Amino acid sequence: MRDCGVYVDGHRLEGTFDHRSALEEVRNRGEGFVWLSLSRPDGVQMDAIAEEYGLHELTVEDALTHRQRPKVEIHDDHLVFVIRSVHYMPEGTGWDENEKISTGQLLMVLGRNYIITIRMGMDRARLSRLGERVAEEPELIQPGPAGVLWAITDLMVDDYLRTVQQLEDLVEDMEDEVFEPGYVTDIEDIYILKREILEMRHAIDPLTTALRTLMGMRGQLMPKAVRRYLQDVLDHQLVAADMAQGFDERLSALIDAAAVKIQLQQNTDMRTISAYAAILAVPTALAGIYGMNFDHMPELHWEYGYFIVLGVMAVVVAFLVWLLRRNKWL
């Protein structure tokens, strides 16, 4: 799936273009830029685009590779910027009921008069939102391809912040459950959430270095005005990264606390079982003694022997119950 447009002064020109005719239009006009959007292109498509736009072979290789770390690669006349999307999935909306975080990849190839965006595992609706925003505020991309790169990155980092805010409620609820008296803690649930947050950190954390690389660039590919806006994006990204790291550490502590709680509960259960075993031991022993059927057992012929034995059992059991409760074994 592809979408190709020519933009001049932030406005998209009317008409239908492919990757070749769009670039010709920009060259003939001497202004504007091409925005080519692709989704999971194959090798044939990328080879054709690379030939027309003069892309490096490593750029083509990156465009066909999924699940890359956020990065920036600078070539002679273009750069490659990889960013990961992060999206919170409410319970029951994912294909896996345990999946809370959905991640995807967006690779951007930025040239002097073009930008190519390549989606892999990322919902098209996110870029559609940007298209609607650009239509309302064309000044967002007036700086050219670098403006598109900034606008997309800003949109995706805002998604990071929304995701960590939603996760914060989830982590707090889990903390309340673990420390709630009598609640049976399932460590597996904590571990699953920790695994999801770890996946999110793999998407967010490396972006810091990539953004700083872009901010340190000079020249036409990255104008000074765009570099200023990227500083604001970096600030938001660092906030999201710090919050994600905090969640990871809190969940690690929560797993330890849950394990200790389970161990304490098991110890309590064992003490209770041992207490009842001790209580039952006395009447069991007495019943066993007088159930041996020996002929010469004087107590068997006592008129009140039966009631005396029952009384002894009751007194000893009552004493043991009092003693064990006093020591909080029951």
Side-chain angles (χ1 to χ4, degrees), residues 183-244:
Y183 184 83
V184 179
T185 303
D186 190 350
I187 292 183
E188 183 180 359
D189 291 341
I190 305 175
Y191 176 77
I192 289 173
L193 181 58
K194 180 176 172 61
R195 184 185 63 190
E196 293 291 297
I197 289 177
L198 184 61
E199 181 180 357
M200 181 177 68
R201 290 190 64 189
H202 288 163
I204 295 178
D205 290 355
L207 185 59
T208 303
T209 302
L211 288 175
R212 285 176 174 158
T213 300
L214 291 175
M215 291 166 55
M217 290 183 61
R218 299 293 184 270
Q220 288 185 329
L221 287 181
M222 195 57 57
K224 185 176 181 180
V226 174
R227 296 200 301 270
R228 290 198 189 100
Y229 285 116
L230 286 175
Q231 177 63 57
D232 181 66
V233 174
L234 177 61
D235 292 341
H236 292 173
Q237 183 268 338
L238 289 174
V239 170
D242 288 343
M243 291 182 69

Coordinates of all heavy atoms in Angstrom, one line a residue, residues 183-244:
Y183 N -5.6 -10.9 49.9 CA -5.7 -11.0 48.4 C -4.6 -12.0 47.9 O -3.5 -12.0 48.3 CB -5.5 -9.7 47.7 CG -5.6 -9.7 46.2 CD1 -6.9 -9.7 45.6 CD2 -4.5 -9.9 45.4 CE1 -7.0 -9.7 44.2 CE2 -4.6 -9.9 44.0 CZ -5.9 -9.9 43.4 OH -6.1 -9.9 42.1
V184 N -5.0 -13.0 47.1 CA -4.1 -14.0 46.6 C -3.4 -13.4 45.4 O -4.0 -13.1 44.3 CB -4.9 -15.2 46.1 CG1 -3.9 -16.3 45.6 CG2 -5.6 -15.8 47.3
T185 N -2.1 -13.2 45.5 CA -1.3 -12.5 44.5 C -0.9 -13.5 43.4 O -0.4 -14.6 43.7 CB -0.1 -11.9 45.1 OG1 -0.5 -10.9 46.1 CG2 0.7 -11.1 44.0
D186 N -1.1 -13.1 42.1 CA -0.6 -13.9 41.0 C 0.6 -13.3 40.4 O 0.5 -12.2 39.7 CB -1.7 -14.0 40.0 CG -1.4 -15.1 38.9 OD1 -0.2 -15.5 38.8 OD2 -2.2 -15.4 38.1
I187 N 1.8 -13.8 40.7 CA 3.1 -13.2 40.2 C 3.1 -13.2 38.7 O 3.8 -12.3 38.1 CB 4.3 -14.0 40.8 CG1 4.3 -13.7 42.4 CG2 5.6 -13.5 40.2 CD1 5.5 -14.3 43.0
E188 N 2.5 -14.2 38.1 CA 2.5 -14.3 36.6 C 2.0 -13.0 36.0 O 2.5 -12.5 35.0 CB 1.7 -15.5 36.1 CG 1.8 -15.7 34.6 CD 1.0 -16.9 34.1 OE1 0.4 -17.6 35.0 OE2 1.0 -17.1 32.9
D189 N 0.9 -12.4 36.6 CA 0.3 -11.2 36.0 C 1.3 -10.0 36.1 O 1.4 -9.2 35.2 CB -0.9 -10.8 36.8 CG -2.1 -11.8 36.5 OD1 -2.0 -12.5 35.5 OD2 -3.0 -11.8 37.3
I190 N 2.1 -10.0 37.2 CA 3.1 -8.9 37.4 C 4.2 -9.1 36.3 O 4.6 -8.1 35.7 CB 3.6 -8.9 38.8 CG1 2.5 -8.8 39.8 CG2 4.6 -7.8 39.0 CD1 3.0 -8.9 41.3
Y191 N 4.6 -10.3 36.2 CA 5.7 -10.6 35.2 C 5.3 -10.3 33.8 O 6.1 -9.7 33.0 CB 6.1 -12.1 35.3 CG 7.2 -12.4 34.3 CD1 8.5 -12.1 34.5 CD2 6.8 -13.1 33.2 CE1 9.5 -12.4 33.6 CE2 7.8 -13.5 32.2 CZ 9.1 -13.1 32.4 OH 10.1 -13.4 31.5
I192 N 4.0 -10.6 33.4 CA 3.6 -10.3 32.1 C 3.6 -8.8 31.8 O 4.0 -8.3 30.8 CB 2.1 -10.9 31.9 CG1 2.2 -12.4 31.8 CG2 1.5 -10.3 30.6 CD1 0.8 -13.1 31.8
L193 N 3.1 -8.0 32.8 CA 3.1 -6.6 32.6 C 4.6 -6.0 32.6 O 4.9 -5.1 31.8 CB 2.4 -5.9 33.8 CG 2.3 -4.4 33.7 CD1 1.6 -3.9 32.4 CD2 1.5 -3.8 35.0
K194 N 5.4 -6.6 33.4 CA 6.9 -6.2 33.3 C 7.5 -6.5 32.0 O 8.2 -5.7 31.5 CB 7.6 -6.9 34.4 CG 9.1 -6.6 34.5 CD 9.8 -7.2 35.7 CE 11.3 -7.1 35.6 NZ 11.7 -5.6 35.7
R195 N 7.1 -7.6 31.4 CA 7.6 -8.0 30.1 C 7.1 -7.0 29.0 O 7.9 -6.6 28.1 CB 7.2 -9.4 29.7 CG 7.7 -9.9 28.4 CD 7.1 -11.3 28.1 NE 5.7 -11.2 27.9 CZ 4.9 -12.2 27.8 NH1 5.3 -13.4 27.9 NH2 3.5 -12.0 27.7
E196 N 5.9 -6.6 29.1 CA 5.3 -5.6 28.2 C 6.0 -4.2 28.3 O 6.3 -3.6 27.3 CB 3.8 -5.4 28.5 CG 3.0 -6.6 28.1 CD 2.9 -6.9 26.6 OE1 2.4 -6.0 25.9 OE2 3.4 -8.0 26.2
I197 N 6.3 -3.8 29.6 CA 7.0 -2.6 29.8 C 8.4 -2.6 29.3 O 9.0 -1.7 28.8 CB 6.9 -2.2 31.3 CG1 5.5 -1.8 31.6 CG2 7.9 -1.1 31.6 CD1 5.3 -1.5 33.1
L198 N 9.0 -3.8 29.4 CA 10.4 -4.0 28.9 C 10.4 -3.8 27.4 O 11.3 -3.2 26.8 CB 10.9 -5.3 29.3 CG 12.4 -5.6 28.9 CD1 13.3 -4.6 29.5 CD2 12.8 -7.1 29.3
E199 N 9.4 -4.3 26.7 CA 9.3 -4.2 25.3 C 9.1 -2.7 24.9 O 9.7 -2.2 23.9 CB 8.1 -5.0 24.7 CG 7.9 -4.9 23.2 CD 6.7 -5.6 22.7 OE1 6.1 -6.3 23.5 OE2 6.5 -5.6 21.5
M200 N 8.3 -2.0 25.7 CA 8.1 -0.6 25.5 C 9.5 0.2 25.7 O 9.8 1.1 24.9 CB 7.1 0.0 26.4 CG 6.8 1.5 26.2 SD 5.5 2.1 27.3 CE 6.3 1.9 28.9
R201 N 10.2 -0.2 26.7 CA 11.5 0.5 26.9 C 12.5 0.3 25.7 O 13.3 1.2 25.4 CB 12.1 0.0 28.2 CG 11.4 0.4 29.5 CD 12.2 0.1 30.7 NE 13.5 0.8 30.7 CZ 14.5 0.6 31.6 NH1 14.4 -0.3 32.5 NH2 15.6 1.4 31.5
H202 N 12.4 -0.9 25.1 CA 13.3 -1.2 24.0 C 12.9 -0.3 22.8 O 13.8 0.0 22.0 CB 13.1 -2.6 23.6 CG 13.8 -3.6 24.5 ND1 13.5 -5.0 24.5 CD2 14.7 -3.4 25.5 CE1 14.2 -5.6 25.4 NE2 15.0 -4.6 26.0
A203 N 11.7 0.2 22.8 CA 11.2 1.1 21.7 C 11.6 2.5 22.0 O 11.9 3.3 21.1 CB 9.7 0.9 21.5
I204 N 11.5 2.9 23.3 CA 11.6 4.3 23.7 C 13.0 4.7 24.0 O 13.5 5.7 23.5 CB 10.7 4.6 24.9 CG1 9.2 4.4 24.6 CG2 11.0 6.0 25.4 CD1 8.3 4.6 25.7
D205 N 13.7 3.9 24.8 CA 15.0 4.4 25.3 C 16.1 4.7 24.2 O 16.7 5.7 24.3 CB 15.6 3.3 26.2 CG 14.8 3.2 27.5 OD1 13.9 4.0 27.8 OD2 15.1 2.3 28.4
P206 N 16.2 3.9 23.2 CA 17.3 4.2 22.2 C 17.0 5.5 21.4 O 17.9 6.0 20.7 CB 17.3 3.0 21.3 CG 16.6 1.9 22.0 CD 15.6 2.6 22.9
L207 N 15.7 6.0 21.5 CA 15.4 7.2 20.7 C 16.1 8.4 21.2 O 16.3 9.3 20.4 CB 13.9 7.4 20.8 CG 13.3 8.5 19.9 CD1 13.6 8.3 18.4 CD2 11.8 8.7 20.1
T208 N 16.6 8.4 22.4 CA 17.3 9.5 23.0 C 18.6 9.8 22.1 O 18.8 11.0 21.7 CB 17.7 9.2 24.4 OG1 16.6 8.9 25.2 CG2 18.4 10.5 25.0
T209 N 19.3 8.8 21.9 CA 20.6 9.0 21.1 C 20.2 9.4 19.6 O 20.9 10.3 19.1 CB 21.4 7.7 21.0 OG1 21.7 7.3 22.4 CG2 22.7 7.8 20.3
A210 N 19.2 8.8 19.1 CA 18.8 9.2 17.7 C 18.4 10.6 17.6 O 18.8 11.4 16.7 CB 17.7 8.3 17.2
L211 N 17.6 11.1 18.5 CA 17.2 12.5 18.5 C 18.3 13.5 18.7 O 18.4 14.5 18.0 CB 16.1 12.7 19.6 CG 14.7 12.1 19.3 CD1 13.8 12.3 20.5 CD2 14.1 12.7 18.1
R212 N 19.2 13.1 19.6 CA 20.4 14.0 19.8 C 21.3 14.0 18.5 O 21.9 15.1 18.2 CB 21.2 13.5 21.0 CG 20.5 13.9 22.3 CD 21.2 13.3 23.5 NE 20.6 13.8 24.7 CZ 20.6 13.3 25.9 NH1 21.4 12.2 26.1 NH2 20.0 13.8 27.0
T213 N 21.3 12.9 17.8 CA 22.1 12.9 16.5 C 21.5 13.9 15.5 O 22.2 14.7 14.9 CB 22.2 11.5 16.0 OG1 22.8 10.6 16.9 CG2 22.9 11.5 14.7
L214 N 20.1 13.8 15.4 CA 19.4 14.7 14.5 C 19.6 16.2 14.9 O 19.8 17.1 14.1 CB 17.9 14.4 14.5 CG 17.5 13.1 13.9 CD1 16.0 12.9 14.0 CD2 17.9 13.1 12.4
M215 N 19.6 16.5 16.2 CA 19.8 17.8 16.7 C 21.2 18.4 16.5 O 21.4 19.6 16.4 CB 19.4 17.9 18.2 CG 17.9 17.7 18.5 SD 17.6 17.4 20.3 CE 18.4 18.8 21.0
G216 N 22.1 17.4 16.4 CA 23.5 17.9 16.2 C 23.9 18.0 14.7 O 25.0 18.4 14.4
M217 N 22.9 17.8 13.8 CA 23.2 17.9 12.4 C 23.2 19.3 11.9 O 22.5 20.2 12.5 CB 22.2 17.1 11.5 CG 22.3 15.6 11.7 SD 21.1 14.7 10.6 CE 21.6 15.3 9.0
R218 N 23.9 19.6 10.8 CA 23.9 20.9 10.2 C 23.7 20.7 8.7 O 24.1 19.7 8.1 CB 25.3 21.6 10.5 CG 25.6 21.8 11.9 CD 24.7 22.9 12.5 NE 25.0 23.2 13.9 CZ 24.6 22.5 15.0 NH1 23.7 21.5 14.8 NH2 24.9 22.9 16.2
G219 N 23.1 21.7 8.1 CA 22.9 21.6 6.7 C 21.5 21.7 6.3 O 20.6 21.9 7.1
Q220 N 21.2 21.5 5.0 CA 19.8 21.6 4.4 C 18.9 20.5 4.9 O 17.7 20.7 5.0 CB 19.9 21.5 2.9 CG 20.5 22.8 2.3 CD 20.4 22.7 0.8 OE1 20.5 21.7 0.2 NE2 20.3 23.9 0.1
L221 N 19.5 19.3 5.2 CA 18.6 18.2 5.6 C 17.9 18.5 6.9 O 16.7 18.0 7.1 CB 19.4 16.9 5.7 CG 19.8 16.2 4.4 CD1 20.5 14.9 4.6 CD2 18.6 16.0 3.5
M222 N 18.5 19.2 7.8 CA 17.9 19.4 9.1 C 18.1 20.9 9.5 O 19.1 21.3 10.1 CB 18.6 18.5 10.2 CG 17.9 18.5 11.5 SD 16.2 17.9 11.3 CE 16.5 16.3 10.5
P223 N 17.2 21.8 9.0 CA 17.2 23.2 9.3 C 17.2 23.5 10.8 O 16.8 22.7 11.6 CB 16.0 23.7 8.6 CG 15.6 22.7 7.7 CD 16.0 21.4 8.3
K224 N 17.8 24.7 11.1 CA 17.9 25.1 12.5 C 16.5 25.1 13.2 O 16.4 24.8 14.4 CB 18.6 26.4 12.6 CG 18.9 26.9 14.0 CD 19.7 28.2 14.0 CE 20.0 28.6 15.4 NZ 20.8 29.9 15.4
A225 N 15.5 25.6 12.5 CA 14.2 25.8 13.1 C 13.6 24.4 13.5 O 13.0 24.3 14.6 CB 13.2 26.4 12.1
V226 N 13.9 23.4 12.7 CA 13.4 22.0 13.1 C 14.2 21.5 14.2 O 13.6 20.8 15.1 CB 13.5 21.1 11.8 CG1 13.1 19.7 12.2 CG2 12.6 21.6 10.7
R227 N 15.5 21.8 14.3 CA 16.3 21.3 15.4 C 15.8 21.8 16.7 O 15.8 21.1 17.8 CB 17.7 21.6 15.2 CG 18.4 21.0 14.0 CD 19.9 21.0 14.1 NE 20.5 22.3 14.3 CZ 20.8 23.1 13.3 NH1 20.7 22.7 12.0 NH2 21.4 24.3 13.5
R228 N 15.3 23.0 16.7 CA 14.7 23.6 18.0 C 13.5 22.8 18.4 O 13.3 22.5 19.6 CB 14.3 25.1 17.8 CG 15.5 26.0 17.6 CD 15.1 27.5 17.8 NE 16.1 28.4 17.5 CZ 16.1 29.1 16.3 NH1 15.1 28.9 15.5 NH2 17.1 30.0 16.1
Y229 N 12.6 22.5 17.5 CA 11.4 21.7 17.8 C 11.8 20.3 18.3 O 11.1 19.7 19.1 CB 10.5 21.6 16.6 CG 9.8 22.9 16.3 CD1 10.0 23.6 15.1 CD2 8.8 23.5 17.2 CE1 9.3 24.8 14.8 CE2 8.2 24.6 17.0 CZ 8.4 25.3 15.8 OH 7.7 26.5 15.5
L230 N 12.8 19.8 17.7 CA 13.2 18.4 18.2 C 13.7 18.4 19.6 O 13.6 17.4 20.3 CB 14.4 17.9 17.3 CG 14.0 17.5 15.9 CD1 15.2 17.1 15.0 CD2 13.0 16.3 15.9
Q231 N 14.2 19.5 20.1 CA 14.6 19.6 21.5 C 13.3 19.4 22.4 O 13.4 18.7 23.5 CB 15.2 21.0 21.8 CG 15.5 21.2 23.3 CD 16.6 20.2 23.8 OE1 17.7 20.2 23.2 NE2 16.3 19.5 24.8
D232 N 12.2 20.0 22.0 CA 11.0 19.8 22.8 C 10.5 18.3 22.7 O 10.1 17.7 23.7 CB 9.9 20.7 22.2 CG 8.6 20.5 23.0 OD1 8.5 20.9 24.2 OD2 7.6 20.0 22.4
V233 N 10.7 17.7 21.6 CA 10.3 16.3 21.4 C 11.2 15.4 22.3 O 10.8 14.5 23.0 CB 10.5 15.8 20.0 CG1 10.3 14.3 19.8 CG2 9.5 16.6 19.1
L234 N 12.5 15.8 22.4 CA 13.4 15.0 23.2 C 13.1 15.1 24.7 O 13.1 14.1 25.4 CB 14.9 15.6 23.0 CG 16.0 14.9 23.9 CD1 16.1 13.4 23.6 CD2 17.3 15.6 23.7
D235 N 12.6 16.3 25.1 CA 12.2 16.5 26.5 C 11.0 15.5 26.8 O 11.0 14.9 27.9 CB 11.8 17.9 26.8 CG 13.0 18.9 26.7 OD1 14.1 18.4 26.8 OD2 12.8 20.1 26.5
H236 N 10.1 15.5 25.9 CA 8.9 14.6 26.2 C 9.3 13.1 26.2 O 8.8 12.3 27.0 CB 7.8 14.8 25.1 CG 7.2 16.2 25.2 ND1 6.3 16.7 24.3 CD2 7.3 17.1 26.2 CE1 5.9 17.9 24.7 NE2 6.5 18.2 25.8
Q237 N 10.3 12.8 25.3 CA 10.7 11.4 25.2 C 11.4 11.0 26.4 O 11.3 9.9 26.9 CB 11.6 11.3 23.9 CG 12.1 9.8 23.7 CD 13.5 9.6 24.4 OE1 14.2 10.5 24.7 NE2 13.8 8.3 24.6
L238 N 12.2 11.9 27.0 CA 12.9 11.6 28.2 C 12.0 11.4 29.4 O 12.2 10.5 30.3 CB 13.9 12.7 28.6 CG 15.2 12.8 27.6 CD1 16.0 14.1 28.0 CD2 16.0 11.6 27.7
V239 N 10.9 12.2 29.4 CA 9.9 12.0 30.5 C 9.3 10.6 30.4 O 9.1 9.9 31.4 CB 8.8 13.1 30.4 CG1 7.6 12.7 31.3 CG2 9.4 14.4 30.7
A240 N 8.9 10.2 29.1 CA 8.3 8.9 28.9 C 9.3 7.8 29.3 O 8.9 6.8 29.9 CB 7.8 8.7 27.5
A241 N 10.6 8.0 28.9 CA 11.6 6.9 29.2 C 11.8 6.8 30.7 O 11.9 5.7 31.2 CB 12.9 7.3 28.5
D242 N 11.8 7.9 31.4 CA 12.0 7.9 32.9 C 10.8 7.2 33.6 O 11.0 6.4 34.5 CB 12.2 9.3 33.4 CG 13.5 9.9 33.1 OD1 14.4 9.1 32.7 OD2 13.7 11.1 33.2
M243 N 9.6 7.5 33.1 CA 8.4 6.9 33.7 C 8.4 5.4 33.4 O 8.1 4.6 34.3 CB 7.2 7.5 33.1 CG 6.9 8.9 33.6 SD 5.4 9.7 32.9 CE 4.2 8.7 33.9
A244 N 8.8 5.0 32.2 CA 8.8 3.5 31.9 C 9.9 2.8 32.7 O 9.7 1.7 33.2 CB 9.1 3.3 30.4

